[in-house]
């Protein structure tokens, strides 16, 4: 622990500021407490942020007071001015020698760490959630990814064993009173931040300042060490490095072995890590260090280990192979099949034209338009995603999901100054647009930015996207469908009812348009009505309602006009008719 971090630094952290802290304690008689009155709202230093959180929790505790910071070895019981029994320092603090000061600091730090482990009672990470029609989220599974689960494991190893664990939707942890790891807020956070006087401590790596060498586990590991709760060890260093590589898919130091790693992933820790408990993974790194070696996550695990370990998919990721009671040896055979399927999927996308070459520093892009699974839900065509795309010669992988208003772009080269009109950068080499706001980013914008010049979508790629079959025609907006269907027939000169092939293709585009601009408009309307983003103008309810309609129409029109230019080539009066029908559906 640095600088004696047993108490929050008001100037210099030192045990001799104890009396200053005591003087700021309110209502020490066990009644309701508002906490310590500390002159700070935010703190970024990891050690100070942790100490601030402990003091906040101490200030709210029903059975602990600030006096519990005093170790028994240097305390005595006295009466305060109102006759109450309290602890006081029973040690001569005048002109202390360096040895005496060091001894006191050591005792104070040990006591502070003990209280911290007891008082940190809530650990928050993201789980898996689905968005509901009203824009809220419903948790589907209370388990996190490897990074989030590793944060929890490191806290457990640090002795924080009795805290409640809470799973929240991704990016929805800022309002929680506790340690929030890997899910602080949607706009991201790089590092550690204590807010609200220590009420919340965020530990995350999704801010724009974060690089691909960071992870929430890495920040949590360093945070716990800084706060004197966990010792730095070589095997935990190895484990955290592995988690960081996996969370970022950062394998630049392993670039020469990309295909070998991919082909052997059914036998290695890197390929099987989704199905192995994080505690067991730590054991693998620890046992190797104890034997005088360093565990290699890309070397085949022993056949004995794979045969004896019954796997389970720890996450709710739809790309996991689900648990059916088999061992890792048998699972490896499934992964071999998946590798073959992935290779065939990439070749099929290439054949259909879902590729683009920027002819520049960013190289080639593989565009994944998605497919429907057995449950009728959209999923990636290339199940092994970006890592597989790199193996087959693509520097960029675009998971393009306009039907659900989103996309994720993975790049090998950092995006640096490149920005898109929607979404956000994640650790330099990933751009995400995951929310329900109607998608206005076009493929032309993406390939133009990566090409660093105005570039039109090639006809082959545009045709491939126009004819892809996702087959969801269940959107409830019949009037909008009829209007758009009539316009397409009019523009193309084709009777949709008689030409089934064109009908299917066009209906998919219709479904997309309705889902994007009617459903998206409804969600935007609800967001405005919540008062979180915009204050409606007007002195009367009628005026406010009119202003609401104007804002929603502007929002919907902007998206539809941009989409229309790329796909439909509709005239202004035709767009107006679609907007009119959409507004009726949104405000019905």
């Amino acid at each position: 622990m640095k600088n004696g971090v047993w108490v929050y630094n008001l100037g210099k952290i030192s045990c001799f500021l104890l009396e200053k802290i005591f003087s700021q304690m309110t209502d020490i008689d066990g009644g309701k407490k508002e906490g310590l009155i500390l002159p700070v709202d935010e703190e970024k230093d990891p050690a100070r942020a942790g100490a601030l959180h402990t003091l906040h929790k101490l200030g709210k505790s029903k059975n602990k007071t600030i006096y519990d910071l005093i170790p028994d070895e240097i305390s005595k019981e006295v009466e305060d001015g109102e006759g109450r029994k309290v602890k006081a320092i029973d040690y001569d603090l005048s002109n202390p020698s360096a040895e005496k000061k060091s001894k006191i600091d050591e005792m104070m730090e040990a006591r502070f760490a003990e209280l911290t482990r007891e008082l940190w009672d809530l650990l928050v990470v993201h789980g898996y959630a689905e968005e509901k029609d009203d824009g809220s989220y419903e948790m589907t599974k209370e388990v996190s990814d490897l990074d989030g689960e590793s944060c929890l494991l490191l806290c457990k190893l640090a002795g924080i064993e009795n805290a409640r664990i809470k799973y929240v939707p991704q990016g929805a942890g800022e309002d929680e009173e506790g340690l929030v790891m890997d899910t602080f807020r949607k706009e991201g956070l790089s590092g550690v931040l204590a807010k609200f006087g220590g009420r919340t401590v965020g530990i995350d790596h999704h801010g724009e300042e974060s690089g691909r060498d960071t992870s929430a586990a890495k920040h949590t590991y360093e945070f716990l060490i800084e706060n004197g709760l966990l010792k730095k060890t070589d095997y935990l260093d190895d484990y955290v490095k592995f988690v960081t590589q996996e969370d970022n898919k950062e394998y630049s130091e392993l670039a020469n072995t990309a295909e070998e790693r991919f082909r052997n992933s059914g036998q290695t820790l890197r390929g099987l890590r989704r199905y192995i408990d994080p505690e067991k993974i730590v054991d693998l790194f620890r046992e190797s260090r104890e034997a005088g070696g360093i565990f290699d996550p890309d070397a085949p695990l022993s056949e004995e280990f794979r045969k004896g370990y019954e796997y389970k998919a720890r996450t709710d990721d739809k790309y996991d192979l689900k648990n059916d009671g088999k061992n890792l040896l048998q699972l490896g055979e499934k992964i071999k099949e998946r590798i073959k399927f992935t290779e065939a999927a990439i070749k099929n996308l290439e054949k259909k034209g879902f590729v683009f070459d920027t002819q520049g520093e960013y190289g080639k892009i593989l565009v994944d338009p998605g497919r429907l699974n057995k449950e009728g839900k959209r999923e990636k065509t290339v199940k092994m995603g970006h890592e597989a795309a790199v193996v087959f010669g693509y520097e960029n992988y675009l998971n393009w999901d306009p039907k659900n208003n989103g996309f994720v772009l993975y790049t090998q080269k950092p995006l640096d100054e490149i920005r898109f009109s929607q979404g956000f950068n994640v650790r330099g080499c990933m751009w995400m647009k995951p929310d329900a706001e109607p998608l206005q980013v076009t493929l032309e914008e993406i390939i133009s930015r990566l090409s660093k010049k105005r570039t039109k979508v090639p006809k082959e790629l545009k045709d491939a996207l126009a004819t892809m079959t996702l087959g969801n025609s269940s959107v409830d907006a019949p009037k909008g469908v009829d209007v758009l269907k009539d316009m397409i027939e009019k523009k193309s000169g084709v009777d949709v009812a008689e030409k089934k092939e064109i009908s299917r293709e066009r209906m998919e585009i219709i479904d997309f348009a309705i889902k994007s601009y009617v459903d998206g408009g409804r969600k935007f309307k609800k967001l405005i009505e919540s008062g979180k983003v915009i204050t409606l103008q007007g002195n009367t309810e009628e005026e406010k309602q009119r202003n609401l309609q104007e804002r929603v129409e502007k929002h919907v029109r902007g998206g539809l006009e941009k989409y229309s230019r790329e796909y439909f080539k509709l005239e202004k009066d035709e767009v107006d008719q679609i907007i009119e029908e959409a507004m009726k559906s949104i405000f019905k």
Side-chain angles (χ1 to χ4, degrees), residues 484-502:
L484 199 50
K485 174 172 170 288
D486 290 343
M487 289 182 180
I488 290 173
E489 290 179 348
K490 178 182 175 183
K491 297 292 286 188
S492 63
V494 175
D495 185 341
V496 174
E498 293 182 2
K499 299 289 185 178
K500 294 182 180 179
E501 184 67 24
I502 294 179

Side-chain angles (χ1 to χ4, degrees), residues 406-440:
F407 71 90
V408 183
L409 173 67
Y410 300 86
T411 65
Q412 288 295 96
K413 176 181 170 57
L415 290 166
D416 294 331
E417 76 282 0
I418 291 180
R419 295 292 182 269
F420 300 100
S421 56
Q422 288 178 296
F424 52 89
N425 187 308
V426 180
R427 300 186 294 281
C429 293
M430 184 191 307
W431 191 279
M432 300 180 68
K433 193 278 175 188
D435 52 67
E437 181 182 353
L439 180 66
Q440 298 186 28

Side-chain angles (χ1 to χ4, degrees), residues 27-276:
D27 192 11
I28 61 172
D29 64 356
K32 181 179 179 182
K33 303 170 188 175
E34 298 302 324
L36 300 177
I37 306 171
L38 295 173
V40 65
D41 181 56
E42 295 188 354
E43 177 59 71
K44 294 183 179 180
D45 179 82
R48 298 177 186 176
L52 185 60
H53 186 54
T54 298
L55 291 176
H56 171 82
K57 289 292 188 180
L58 184 61
K60 294 192 68 177
S61 174
K62 293 181 179 179
N63 53 14
K64 300 286 182 186
T65 73
I66 193 69
Y67 297 100
D68 285 292
L69 283 171
I70 307 173
D72 292 338
E73 297 91 331
I74 58 170
S75 70
K76 63 182 178 181
E77 191 176 78
V78 299
E79 287 189 359
D80 66 5
E82 298 181 13
R84 294 174 295 191
K85 300 290 185 181
V86 296
K87 268 187 175 183
I89 294 178
D90 186 19
Y91 206 92
D92 183 9
L93 298 180
S94 60
N95 300 315
S97 64
E99 181 180 358
K100 180 185 291 187
K101 184 178 183 301
S102 177
K103 183 178 180 181
I104 296 173
D105 274 341
E106 184 178 334
M107 287 188 290
M108 288 289 195
E109 288 171 357
R111 178 58 179 154
F112 197 85
E114 179 185 350
L115 278 175
T116 292
R117 292 186 176 99
E118 182 180 347
L119 291 169
W120 287 6
D121 57 2
L122 180 63
L123 306 177
V124 181
V125 294
H126 71 83
Y128 289 82
E130 287 187 356
E131 186 177 8
K132 299 195 296 187
D133 291 340
D134 62 0
S136 63
Y137 287 86
E138 180 180 4
M139 298 303 301
T140 58
K141 195 167 185 179
E142 292 193 336
V143 67
S144 194
D145 60 10
L146 178 63
D147 197 18
E149 291 294 328
S150 295
C151 293
L152 297 177
L153 175 57
L154 289 166
C155 288
K156 181 180 178 180
L157 294 175
I160 307 167
E161 298 181 325
N162 299 316
R164 180 169 65 93
I165 296 172
K166 183 174 181 180
Y167 294 90
V168 300
Q170 179 69 57
E174 189 171 7
D175 293 332
E176 301 293 340
E177 185 173 353
L179 262 62
V180 180
M181 299 166 287
D182 200 30
T183 183
F184 189 57
R185 57 192 177 198
K186 285 189 175 182
E187 58 268 33
L189 169 68
S190 301
V192 176
L193 178 65
K195 291 199 68 178
F196 316 120
R199 179 183 183 274
T200 304
V201 177
I203 307 174
D204 209 344
H205 71 128
H206 290 101
E208 288 202 13
E209 298 84 5
S210 296
R212 296 183 76 182
D213 60 344
T214 66
S215 65
K218 182 178 180 181
H219 287 312
T220 299
Y221 181 47
E222 294 168 348
F223 171 79
L224 294 170
I225 293 170
E226 287 283 308
N227 280 275
L229 302 172
L230 187 64
K231 290 185 177 179
K232 179 179 172 64
T233 66
D234 49 12
Y235 72 88
L236 285 179
D237 289 347
D238 298 339
Y239 174 73
V240 169
K241 178 181 178 181
F242 171 72
V243 173
T244 301
Q245 284 181 333
E246 286 305 297
D247 198 60
N248 292 279
K249 300 300 179 189
E250 169 48 54
Y251 308 125
S252 57
E253 64 183 63
L254 307 169
N256 294 331
T257 62
E259 184 167 357
E260 181 183 355
R261 285 187 289 104
F262 179 71
R263 301 289 183 191
N264 294 335
S265 57
Q267 305 176 61
T268 66
L269 173 63
R270 201 177 300 279
L272 296 169
R273 57 94 175 163
R274 288 178 179 271
Y275 311 96
I276 303 176

